[in-house]
Amino acid sequence: LPETPIGAEARFKRANDDEELPFEIELTEFADDGQDPAKTLSEVRRLVTREQVFALVPVLSATLPGEFLNQQHVPYFGAGFDLTYCSPTPTDELYGFGYVGCQVPNEPRRMPDSARNQYDFVSQKTGKEHPTAALISADTQSGHDAARFQASAYQGRGFDVVYAKGVVPLPPVSDYTPYVQDVLTADGGDAPDAIVCLAAADCIPMYQQVKESGYAGTFVAFVYHPALVGSFE
């Protein structure tokens, strides 16, 4: 989305105007990777090696090559949906900063109660003490971890989790039908009371197919921008 850098630019201007740092920050460009892993790596390499940027702010890509940025000692700031943002102990080897922390730790000792609002809404809507939920995520290590750990959180809150898998391939995806059908039949052949999409931008086309199927349950996604309200109605 072209307006994405506005917030970062405003924050940098304030830092520069107030002389918060011993140097000024310049926002040079907004690179669009199209959520294509090959293009993401190409753009990041260009920004680091050719443009010699000091940091990447904000990072919105779901296919960020964090290992490369850590090797190059280039800070990057994003939503934390990647293992390269995470460390169980303090370290000076990671350069990723998640503005809401590490979202996909590989072996967390405990999970936060992240399904409270979803449970209250779906339980009230269905009248069920244990509504069913199907969680779907990307076919990456982070995606597998997200599905597994969020399943624990949803189960702990009161959902009957009937499906929790990281199966959506990295973009571009030519056809979402197999993955949509998986979740729409996850409850013993029936649709679950809630579909929880953890696949970032892929949730948008998946929602379109879920809606077209006539699904009457609740679709939960964690992608928000005013421009997407129309897509999600």
Side-chain angles (χ1 to χ4, degrees):
L1 297 169
E3 63 270 32
T4 293
I6 293 175
E9 190 169 25
R11 183 63 184 90
F12 294 160
K13 182 179 186 304
R14 190 175 83 186
N16 293 339
D17 291 347
D18 294 346
E19 298 182 348
E20 293 180 18
L21 300 168
F23 52 83
E24 289 199 348
I25 305 173
E26 177 187 1
L27 183 62
T28 56
E29 65 172 288
F30 176 55
D32 185 1
D33 67 354
Q35 299 295 333
D36 181 331
K39 188 175 181 182
T40 306
L41 180 58
S42 174
E43 284 293 276
V44 168
R45 287 186 179 276
R46 176 183 66 82
L47 291 170
V48 172
T49 59
R50 188 186 307 170
E51 304 300 329
Q52 297 186 328
V53 297
F54 171 74
L56 301 182
V57 186
V59 171
L60 301 176
S61 175
T63 57
L64 180 74
E67 293 85 356
F68 172 75
L69 291 167
N70 285 327
Q71 291 168 1
Q72 299 297 313
H73 298 179
V74 175
Y76 53 101
F77 298 76
F81 292 114
D82 185 278
L83 278 175
T84 61
Y85 287 95
C86 307
S87 176
T89 58
T91 178
D92 59 3
E93 296 181 0
L94 297 184
Y95 286 76
F97 296 84
Y99 51 78
V100 286
C102 163
Q103 297 298 293
V104 286
N106 55 0
E107 290 297 337
R109 292 187 293 271
R110 59 182 65 87
M111 284 298 298
D113 186 10
S114 55
R116 176 186 296 270
N117 291 335
Q118 294 91 314
Y119 173 80
D120 290 347
F121 179 83
V122 177
S123 180
Q124 182 177 16
K125 179 180 177 181
T126 61
K128 296 180 180 179
E129 183 179 359
H130 298 292
T132 56
L135 286 68
I136 188 165
S137 190
D139 187 12
T140 62
Q141 185 59 54
S142 295
H144 297 164
D145 290 342
R148 182 158 58 102
F149 299 137
Q150 286 302 317
S152 176
Y154 276 71
Q155 190 86 33
R157 172 40 59 181
F159 279 99
D160 176 11
V161 177
V162 295
Y163 181 100
K165 295 182 180 180
V167 294
V168 182
L170 290 174
V173 179
S174 59
D175 185 8
Y176 289 90
T177 303
Y179 319 110
V180 170
Q181 288 302 312
D182 276 355
V183 294
L184 285 175
T185 58
D187 187 9
D190 296 326
D193 297 310
I195 294 174
V196 183
C197 184
L198 305 168
D202 287 304
C203 296
I204 301 170
M206 289 188 67
Y207 173 71
Q208 295 299 323
Q209 288 196 24
V210 167
K211 182 178 68 173
E212 290 167 3
S213 76
Y215 177 64
T218 300
F219 188 90
V220 181
F222 301 90
V223 179
Y224 179 78
H225 186 280
L228 301 179
V229 173
S231 299
F232 282 110
E233 294 185 341

